[in-house]
Amino acid sequence: MSIANNFPKGEIKELKELLAVSQRIVVTCHVRPDGDAIGSSMAWYHMLQGMGKDVSVVIPDRAPRSLMFLPGSRDMVVFTQHDLWSRRLLRDAELVLMCDFNTSSRQGNLGDIVSECNARKVLIDHHKHPDINCDVVFSYPEMSSASELSFRLMAALGLYLDMNLDCATCLLTGMVTDTQNFTVNCDNHETYEIMLRLLEKGVDKSRIIREAVKSTTYSALKLNSYAIGEKLEIFERHKAAVITLDAGELKRFGYEKGDTEGLVNEPLRIRGIVYSAFLREDADCVKVSMRSVDGFPVDKICRDHFGGGGHLMAAGGEFYGSIKDAYDILLNHMGDYDKYLPKNISKQD
Ligand code: 5GP
Ligand code: MN
């Protein structure tokens, strides 16, 4: 199929050979894993299991509850909960597939263990500027998701017919979540051809959307309503929106991992708003999430001030300091980025 033919022949051959000669394989992804990190990793898990490999998925920390409907999700080895087991799997691995991240620091404390293990390594990612030591690198920032890339790789390896329903379900979950239900990063018509191929496998798309995107809890819904009702600030001059949630507020609403997924997108629905930032005071750092429209480079803000990066219009970072300092830095530097604002946009009405 045409969607499988765009990779350099040498690299597909290398990947094919690595898969052929490796029995013990670990698949891994980034911290605070999202639908694409888990979707692409678990898709490889199902594919490689079908090939008779001894495969494990080792993730840096727990996946949000919204992704636990994915087939096989209970088999994932969580590094923060099973340190020794994770280390042993990586020590014994012959091959590691690294999904949905471009630098070792995105794996938190697991990063060094992955970097130092003796296995051959393959990067499967869609972030710009990969900076990671791997034997084979598949870095395609123009793709919607690491899951789309994984589908294309599987097809290029001649494995499309071997893709089972579980694998296809994981792939479509990654595509649905990274494109926000096919609303961003999906201008390439081939992305829909891939969706079609996955639907042909019998994937239940409605279920994916219900479980991975829409489902929430009463307390999470209240937390998000509070964030928008009481904590959203608009900076009209900069066409920016900011939400902060400190540890006390999170505690008050019984915050659990994943409860604020998607919150940063909400302010972008306001006409005239070009970018949105969400600062959340986690236990170890202030998690920064940013989203934008019209090509405004939020990845630059995250890189310049929050030790992060990501995609042009969907980026994030971690700030090691108080949430007030993170907020002040953001506000003090907003003016530096006004030059990137689009010239003619509709005013707020
Ligand atoms: P989110 O806001 O959903 O956490 O992340 C959006 C995107 O920003 C991710 O897909 C990832 O590309 C990037 N990102 C998020 N957090 C970080 C971070 O701490 N460091 C880097 N380099 N990128 C991040
Ligand atoms: Mn991704």
Side-chain angles (χ1 to χ4, degrees):
M1 80 188 61
S2 68
I3 43 190
N5 289 336
N6 296 326
F7 297 107
K9 292 267 175 307
E11 279 156 33
I12 291 297
K13 187 161 171 273
E14 240 180 300
L15 176 58
K16 201 174 220 165
E17 278 165 12
L18 283 175
L19 290 174
V21 300
S22 308
Q23 180 58 28
R24 290 182 303 279
I25 303 177
V26 167
V27 188
T28 190
C29 64
H30 60 75
V31 281
R32 300 190 185 88
D34 58 7
D36 188 31
I38 298 294
S40 54
S41 300
M42 288 305 297
W44 284 104
Y45 174 74
H46 292 295
M47 177 57 81
L48 295 169
Q49 258 198 343
M51 293 165 70
K53 303 292 179 184
D54 183 357
V55 54
S56 309
V57 175
V58 178
I59 58 176
D61 55 346
R62 244 175 356 111
R65 199 170 116 191
S66 60
L67 297 172
M68 295 312 283
F69 76 101
L70 285 176
S73 60
R74 308 273 156 198
D75 299 346
M76 293 189 291
V77 180
V78 182
F79 173 61
T80 47
Q81 293 169 349
H82 299 283
D83 181 298
L84 288 177
W85 188 11
S86 307
R87 284 174 196 273
R88 194 167 60 224
L89 287 168
L90 282 158
R91 188 195 62 203
D92 295 344
E94 295 158 280
L95 179 66
V96 178
L97 304 185
M98 305 157 85
C99 296
D100 199 33
F101 63 101
N102 60 352
T103 158
S104 184
S105 61
R106 286 284 285 143
Q107 289 211 289
N109 293 334
L110 186 61
D112 282 347
I113 301 164
V114 171
S115 302
E116 285 160 18
C117 81
N118 288 323
R120 308 292 292 276
K121 288 163 199 146
V122 176
L123 184 70
I124 298 169
D125 183 44
H126 71 133
H127 295 92
K128 281 183 281 185
H129 316 305
D131 176 23
I132 206 157
N133 221 350
C134 282
D135 297 272
V136 191
V137 172
F138 293 100
S139 171
Y140 289 85
E142 67 280 13
M143 288 188 195
S144 69
S145 51
S147 297
E148 175 181 334
L149 172 56
S150 296
F151 175 94
R152 289 172 182 265
L153 287 173
M154 290 172 187
L157 289 164
L159 296 171
Y160 174 71
L161 290 177
D162 298 322
M163 186 183 290
N164 63 20
L165 178 57
D166 288 349
C167 177
T169 298
C170 293
L171 290 175
L172 193 59
T173 299
M175 291 175 67
V176 161
T177 52
D178 255 27
T179 61
Q180 290 169 36
N181 279 347
F182 295 97
T183 57
V184 296
N185 288 333
C186 52
D187 291 337
N188 183 347
H189 62 88
E190 290 182 355
T191 304
Y192 301 90
E193 192 179 336
I194 293 172
M195 174 167 71
L196 174 65
R197 299 281 166 244
L198 294 170
L199 293 176
E200 278 173 356
K201 294 277 182 188
V203 175
D204 186 346
K205 179 164 163 278
S206 313
R207 172 151 191 252
I208 292 175
I209 292 172
R210 199 171 61 243
E211 295 281 1
V213 183
K214 299 259 185 233
S215 281
T216 186
T217 59
Y218 184 38
S219 55
L221 198 58
K222 282 202 283 195
L223 173 61
N224 283 279
S225 304
Y226 167 75
I228 289 171
E230 310 285 328
K231 300 301 305 282
L232 171 61
E233 291 178 273
I234 300 292
F235 299 91
E236 238 177 286
R237 194 149 61 89
H238 306 293
K239 304 185 184 342
V242 179
I243 295 174
T244 61
L245 288 174
D246 66 29
E249 291 166 322
L250 295 169
K251 187 157 183 257
R252 179 142 56 92
F253 288 91
Y255 169 79
E256 280 188 39
K257 221 175 157 117
D259 280 357
T260 55
E261 193 66 46
L263 174 60
V264 65
N265 296 303
E266 291 299 311
L268 289 180
R269 294 169 51 191
I270 304 168
R271 274 196 199 97
I273 291 300
V274 172
Y275 67 104
S276 160
F278 169 44
L279 311 180
R280 187 185 63 221
E281 189 180 18
D282 283 356
D284 52 339
C285 67
V286 176
K287 178 71 185 75
V288 177
S289 266
M290 297 190 72
R291 298 289 187 275
S292 67
V293 294
D294 293 335
F296 182 90
V298 284
D299 61 332
K300 188 163 166 49
I301 301 181
C302 290
R303 212 168 29 249
D304 291 349
H305 302 293
F306 301 112
H311 309 285
L312 184 71
M313 294 186 277
E318 294 174 352
F319 180 78
Y320 292 88
S322 72
I323 190 162
K324 164 130 192 5
D325 284 351
Y327 176 84
D328 287 346
I329 287 171
L330 180 64
L331 261 55
N332 289 337
H333 288 93
M334 270 182 182
D336 303 349
Y337 301 91
D338 285 350
K339 58 177 180 271
Y340 298 110
L341 290 169
K343 295 289 171 282
N344 299 311
I345 53 167
S346 52
K347 265 184 71 69
Q348 251 178 278
D349 27 61

